[in-house]
Amino acid sequence: MITNENRSVVILGASGNLALTKLLPSLYTLYTSGALPQNFAISGYARTEMSVDKYREIVKTNLLNNIEETLLVDSFVQEFLKSIYYFSGSYDSVDDFTNLHAGLEKIHEKFPCKPTVLYYLSIPPSVFEPVIHSLRECGAIEKGDTSKSVIVEKPFGYDTESAKALNKTLDQTFDESQIYRIDHYLGKEAIMNLMVMRFANLIFEPVWNRNYIDSITVSWEEDKNIGSRGGYFDKAGIIRDVIQNHLLQILALVAMEKPSSYESDSIMAEKNKAVKSIQQVTLDDCVLGQYISGVCGGKPVIGYTDEDSVPDGSNRETFAKIKCAINNTRWSGVPFYLQAGKALTKSTTEIIIQFKEVPGDIFKSPHHPNKLVIEVQPDAGIKFFITNKVPGKGMVLKDVKLDFSYDDGFNKAMPGAYERLILDAIQGDKTLFINYEELIHSWEIFTPILEKIDSGNANVFKYHAGTNGPDEASEL
Ligand code: NDP
Ligand code: BG6
């Protein structure tokens, strides 16, 4: 729906991977679907010096590489590119930010009235604080002025204390109502469907508890190696990169109680409670791994420590399986396994709800307890494994699968997570963003083990790239 409002999006870190491959393609898709207002501008800012034309050329190449061909109408692409601007400067220079601010004011003069401005921090975590400081000092932001807001990318800090410190810096500049802490997994269709599946279907609630469920696994695998991302990844590791945020958010949606309404505050309150009930994990609850050379997706892959971007001898974990416990009436005694790894056999994300055995089984034929598998990606869907009689003589049982796929069920393209979340932030809807309290709880769960891993006091088992991770993981 095109509106007469005026919007300006400013991407800090505009020369980077996220900005070019996800954010700008998502903004283009929103533009083609008519979701952006009539008057909008997108301005990029980064240290790399280049002209606006050069930046538009780079954006165009990335649109061509990252967007479905049917959406790439030349006239739309040309119009979209006209709304894009680029500024260069340092992240810690107030003077450079003053120039950016002046440049934006000039762009905004073309609009019938002052636009709302959304700043997107698409930068490495090490520059979050200088950027927020520069934004404040150059006078671009006024605390409490809701016509200016900010999206902050993950990882938000690297442990509990740094997350609190970063929040303090944010709090000096923005009011909480102006801050959007993003976790793009919350914008994925299959994740958004979790609450619908649980709370809009009668059959799940009675069995969604410790009496019927044996274990829950959230599994995230990628068949890609670290490549050039070692500079960031070696300081983070897989727990900070994926488990503390994406997987924990999934766990919260699986474990939470029903909110009193589908309103941002009610949902956040229930998610907070669920995350707060998760016990701190210890190294005894973890199996960690690091890949050595192997074959991923048919291609030979060098070992993690052989990557140019990774320091020699690094002990950083590229795989982790963590057993979490939730201390509440619904989940006490049910293990939740969070498992994630780079350079594994395939790229998938799924949630496995393993039900208990039927008590007092009367059939002699072996069969397995029920299992519900929610597939998040690459092909979103829901599979339910039930036991059936094999047709014919005798009583032979077999596990069969009820299979729903989004492709067959809806036959329409799945909107991208960033598309959805950027639009929500533009429209001021915080339902799918993370609040501070929840974020701090999520760091508290992992900070004790992260400190031990960072100081080299954890066992990290080796696994060959292209396998399922270290053998020790199956023993947890
Ligand atoms: P990049 O490594 O591509 O960095 C983004 C930009 O920041 C670069 O183009 C560079 O621009 C600048 N930059 C890079 N390193 C430094 C440094 N050490 N000091 C100062 N500036 C630097 O990161 P991504 O775009 O991949 O990610 C940006 C943020 O988004 C990160 O917080 C990441 O965790 C998060 N994220 C990324 C995802 C992705 O798919 N890429 C997915 C989810 C979250 P220049 O040198 O021109 O200033
Ligand atoms: C990012 C991580 O947050 O999520 C990356 O930094 C990871 O390491 C990516 O590859 C995965 O996102 P998606 O949407 O491709 O599953």
Side-chain angles (χ1 to χ4, degrees), residues 425-474:
I426 287 178
Q427 295 176 338
D429 182 350
K430 285 194 153 192
T431 310
L432 298 176
F433 291 85
I434 298 169
N435 82 357
Y436 174 63
E437 211 185 322
E438 182 183 0
L439 186 99
I440 294 300
H441 293 328
S442 67
W443 275 121
E444 280 166 355
I445 298 165
F446 299 106
T447 293
I449 57 164
L450 288 171
E451 280 169 357
K452 293 205 169 104
I453 298 170
D454 291 349
S455 58
N457 288 320
N459 241 338
V460 180
F461 299 102
K462 303 289 182 205
Y463 62 96
H464 280 286
T467 63
N468 291 323
D471 294 340
E472 289 78 1
S474 55

Side-chain angles (χ1 to χ4, degrees), residues 15-18 22 46-48 91 122-124 153-155 418:
S15 59
N17 176 275
L18 179 68
K22 307 238 168 94
R47 294 174 308 182
T48 308
Y91 296 115
S122 178
I123 38 177
E153 259 298 345
K154 58 137 281 256
Y418 279 101

Side-chain angles (χ1 to χ4, degrees), residues 330-378:
R330 187 185 285 271
W331 296 118
S332 176
V334 179
F336 284 75
Y337 297 100
L338 302 181
Q339 176 172 318
K342 295 271 183 187
L344 298 182
T345 46
K346 52 190 187 320
S347 289
T348 55
T349 305
E350 58 185 19
I351 307 160
I352 302 157
I353 317 286
Q354 179 62 64
F355 289 91
K356 293 188 169 175
E357 304 256 4
V358 173
D361 187 23
I362 57 171
F363 301 102
K364 297 208 172 72
S365 173
H367 59 102
H368 295 113
N370 298 128
K371 184 165 77 171
L372 179 69
V373 180
I374 300 157
E375 295 183 332
V376 178
Q377 54 190 26

Side-chain angles (χ1 to χ4, degrees), residues 205-395:
E205 177 55 21
V207 295
W208 209 257
N209 56 53
R210 63 196 298 268
N211 299 325
Y212 295 90
I213 292 179
D214 186 65
S215 68
I216 294 184
T217 302
V218 184
S219 162
W220 183 95
E221 301 182 16
E222 229 177 40
D223 62 5
K224 285 179 253 162
N225 54 318
I226 293 300
S228 59
R229 288 189 79 207
Y232 152 73
F233 191 88
D234 199 67
K235 292 193 188 73
I238 201 74
I239 298 177
R240 288 188 180 93
D241 189 41
V242 170
I243 296 185
Q244 178 269 342
N245 32 73
H246 304 328
L247 299 203
L248 199 81
Q249 285 300 313
I250 297 178
L251 192 158
L253 290 167
V254 170
M256 70 194 264
E257 298 300 314
K258 185 174 171 176
S260 56
S261 67
Y262 193 76
E263 299 284 330
S264 169
D265 285 351
S266 317
I267 297 170
M268 279 184 184
E270 290 306 336
K271 272 174 70 205
N272 275 349
K273 265 202 270 174
V275 176
K276 211 171 173 179
S277 302
I278 303 173
Q279 305 292 283
Q280 266 188 4
V281 289
T282 67
L283 282 180
D284 291 342
D285 305 316
C286 302
V287 174
L288 308 173
Q290 186 190 82
Y291 68 84
I292 51 176
S293 62
V295 179
C296 260
K299 289 189 197 133
V301 162
I302 54 173
Y304 176 70
T305 50
D306 300 324
E307 304 273 12
D308 285 343
S309 60
V310 172
D312 289 343
S314 164
N315 205 33
R316 181 52 74 191
E317 87 288 357
T318 59
F319 172 99
K321 180 172 180 180
I322 302 181
K323 185 173 159 187
C324 297
I326 304 187
N327 184 26
N328 65 18
T329 315
R330 187 185 285 271
W331 296 118
S332 176
V334 179
F336 284 75
Y337 297 100
L338 302 181
Q339 176 172 318
K342 295 271 183 187
L344 298 182
T345 46
K346 52 190 187 320
S347 289
T348 55
T349 305
E350 58 185 19
I351 307 160
I352 302 157
I353 317 286
Q354 179 62 64
F355 289 91
K356 293 188 169 175
E357 304 256 4
V358 173
D361 187 23
I362 57 171
F363 301 102
K364 297 208 172 72
S365 173
H367 59 102
H368 295 113
N370 298 128
K371 184 165 77 171
L372 179 69
V373 180
I374 300 157
E375 295 183 332
V376 178
Q377 54 190 26
D379 302 314
I382 301 173
K383 291 186 171 58
F384 186 53
F385 291 80
I386 59 167
T387 304
N388 247 50
K389 175 183 175 300
V390 177
K393 283 189 193 155
M395 184 53 74

